[in-house]
Amino acid sequence: MTEKPIQLGLIGLGTVGSGVYETLCRNHALLEARCKIPFLVKKIAVSDLSKKRDTEVPAELLTDDWHDVVNDPEIDIIIELIGGTKTAYDIVTSALRAGKPVVTGNKALLAEFGSEIFKLSSEKGTPIYFEASAGGGIPIIQSLQTSLICNHIDSIVGIINGTSNYILSAMGEGGADYADALQKAQELGFAELDPTLDVNGWDAAHKALILATLAYGTTISPDKIFVQGIENITSKDFNFAKKLGYTIKLLVIIRLHKDSGKLELRVQPSFVHDWHILASVNGVFNAIAVTGDIVGETLFYGRGAGKNPTASAVISDVITAMRERLHPEYHTGFLPYAQPYGIMDINETISSYYVRFQVADQPGVIAEIAHILATFGIGISATSSAQGVSDCNGIIWNDLVFMLHACEWGQLQLALQETAQSQFVAPNPCVLRIEHLLPKA
């Protein structure tokens, strides 16, 4: 064991930061025994020194100025856990310029500024580690960088937002409606008071951008990913899904189309067969399926968020950073493998679909919709319906479901623009993709 301890600087002592500090203290002897490197936490930056905390920290370790941590010549490694982008960007780039490796779990930062940060990391020869930025405690980043290093990645598909998965599980398994499921998630601490990024799909999208950049080495801006959230999913959709042999999950789809050299990159709620492996991933758990040209299909499963799972991922990076600080020739921070892949336009993507219309209880409505779909070359595999309610004019509006054969997304949108012109069909039907992904559980 080396004699001089590695000194760590921690910036942020919120939920994850406190979990990291507590674990470093509680399992200090275990970590030193396993990695054969002595270490200590030298300094911790917080936003408010007067704030009362559940985690006990010696006062002499605390500062309210992150510059005190980054600029301390004795600190070897910076752990950034404050969230947000502006200040975090300043912290991370300052540390890299100072030659100090960075460990971060900041998915929003990497999704928005990843190309700049990775370029700076490469120019300075100073690694950045970000296992906790995608998948919580699931070791997906290191797996892509090391375990699957000999593979060309064909696809990455899965559930990578625990909050939305908890809500959808409560709706599908417990019969809750969306509002009640969201409220319960907030009460249990699975959802923030402002759950927008979780339910609108953008938390999952940030993680998808990181995984896609890592797997393919292509710089991807956030405006290139198509994102659709779960806010408009209702108990009606789950009732139809069960009746038809499916459940509903918010899925990330990252898929390389070798014929065109383009990446399909999207986040959308989707129908999944109830016998698929992903259908059994419930609550706050995540599952990420990676398919490589050599290894074939692999599945990573675990808690996707939370204090301790995320702290576990952060500390894994800290140990790697300490080892590579002593042996920089082996460093495995982000090492890009650049490929000139374009991003497929969402309108070119193809799948089967579930479409739930609200239609007036009038003769010929089904035939009218079927005719419009046929005009655009879209086939129907099944239909289902449920009795609706009367409006103020005494017209009964029923729920009418069409299960559609595979077609381009853009083609379907054109057809739906036509159906919306009918006085007997309500606009804005619920449209969910039907994905065929993993083998049976």
Side-chain angles (χ1 to χ4, degrees), residues 247-321:
T247 190
I248 302 171
K249 297 293 182 182
L250 181 68
L251 296 182
V252 162
I253 306 291
I254 306 169
R255 184 179 290 128
L256 175 61
H257 292 261
K258 295 179 181 178
D259 54 345
S260 64
K262 292 182 179 180
L263 287 175
E264 182 177 353
L265 186 59
R266 53 187 172 85
V267 176
Q268 290 181 280
S270 305
F271 266 36
V272 177
H273 281 291
D274 56 15
W275 43 256
H276 277 199
I277 293 174
L278 289 182
S280 63
V281 178
N282 291 316
V284 296
F285 282 84
N286 285 190
I288 305 169
V290 181
T291 301
D293 64 337
I294 305 300
V295 72
E297 289 183 328
T298 60
L299 182 68
F300 299 84
Y301 172 83
R303 292 187 180 273
K307 177 178 180 177
N308 291 327
T310 307
S312 175
V314 170
I315 293 171
S316 171
D317 275 347
V318 171
I319 298 304
T320 301

Side-chain angles (χ1 to χ4, degrees), residues 179-341:
D180 290 340
L182 173 56
Q183 182 178 348
K184 186 66 174 178
Q186 290 172 320
E187 291 172 357
L188 293 173
F190 298 147
E192 302 289 343
L193 290 177
D194 180 4
T196 303
L197 289 178
D198 291 313
V199 299
N200 71 6
W202 271 101
D203 175 83
H206 288 152
K207 297 171 184 176
L209 288 166
I210 293 168
L211 294 177
T213 299
L214 184 63
Y216 299 103
T218 298
T219 300
I220 305 171
S221 61
D223 64 336
K224 297 298 184 182
I225 184 170
F226 182 85
V227 182
Q228 182 181 349
I230 66 170
E231 307 99 312
N232 296 322
I233 305 296
T234 71
S235 56
K236 294 178 182 179
D237 300 307
F238 274 99
N239 291 337
F240 279 113
K242 288 181 180 179
K243 182 178 177 181
L244 297 165
Y246 295 88
T247 190
I248 302 171
K249 297 293 182 182
L250 181 68
L251 296 182
V252 162
I253 306 291
I254 306 169
R255 184 179 290 128
L256 175 61
H257 292 261
K258 295 179 181 178
D259 54 345
S260 64
K262 292 182 179 180
L263 287 175
E264 182 177 353
L265 186 59
R266 53 187 172 85
V267 176
Q268 290 181 280
S270 305
F271 266 36
V272 177
H273 281 291
D274 56 15
W275 43 256
H276 277 199
I277 293 174
L278 289 182
S280 63
V281 178
N282 291 316
V284 296
F285 282 84
N286 285 190
I288 305 169
V290 181
T291 301
D293 64 337
I294 305 300
V295 72
E297 289 183 328
T298 60
L299 182 68
F300 299 84
Y301 172 83
R303 292 187 180 273
K307 177 178 180 177
N308 291 327
T310 307
S312 175
V314 170
I315 293 171
S316 171
D317 275 347
V318 171
I319 298 304
T320 301
M322 291 196 302
R323 286 172 171 160
E324 295 175 359
R325 181 73 171 177
L326 297 177
H327 304 284
E329 65 273 21
Y330 297 115
H331 104 70
T332 58
F334 181 75
L335 299 172
Y337 172 63
Q339 285 286 93
Y341 295 123

Side-chain angles (χ1 to χ4, degrees), residues 117-140:
I117 290 171
F118 295 144
K119 181 180 178 182
L120 178 62
S121 170
S122 178
E123 290 174 349
K124 296 297 181 181
T126 306
I128 179 168
Y129 307 85
F130 47 98
E131 184 66 71
S133 65
I138 301 173
I140 185 63

Side-chain angles (χ1 to χ4, degrees), residues 132-154:
S133 65
I138 301 173
I140 185 63
I141 301 298
Q142 288 202 28
S143 295
L144 286 170
Q145 289 184 307
T146 56
S147 301
L148 303 177
I149 196 169
C150 71
N151 287 261
H152 289 285
I153 303 301
D154 296 325

Side-chain angles (χ1 to χ4, degrees), residues 50-121:
S50 64
K51 180 180 178 180
K52 191 172 182 179
R53 295 177 173 81
D54 294 332
T55 303
E56 293 187 10
V57 181
E60 62 270 19
L61 293 186
L62 296 174
T63 176
D64 59 1
D65 186 350
W66 63 262
H67 294 88
D68 294 341
V69 179
V70 173
N71 295 334
D72 188 326
E74 295 186 340
I75 290 179
D76 301 291
I77 296 167
I78 302 298
I79 308 169
E80 181 278 307
L81 297 172
I82 65 168
T85 56
K86 186 178 184 303
T87 302
Y89 177 86
D90 293 338
I91 292 168
V92 169
T93 54
S94 296
L96 293 175
R97 289 191 181 96
K100 298 185 178 185
V102 174
V103 174
T104 181
N106 196 327
K107 51 189 170 288
L109 174 70
L110 295 178
E112 188 171 348
F113 298 106
S115 60
E116 297 174 41
I117 290 171
F118 295 144
K119 181 180 178 182
L120 178 62
S121 170

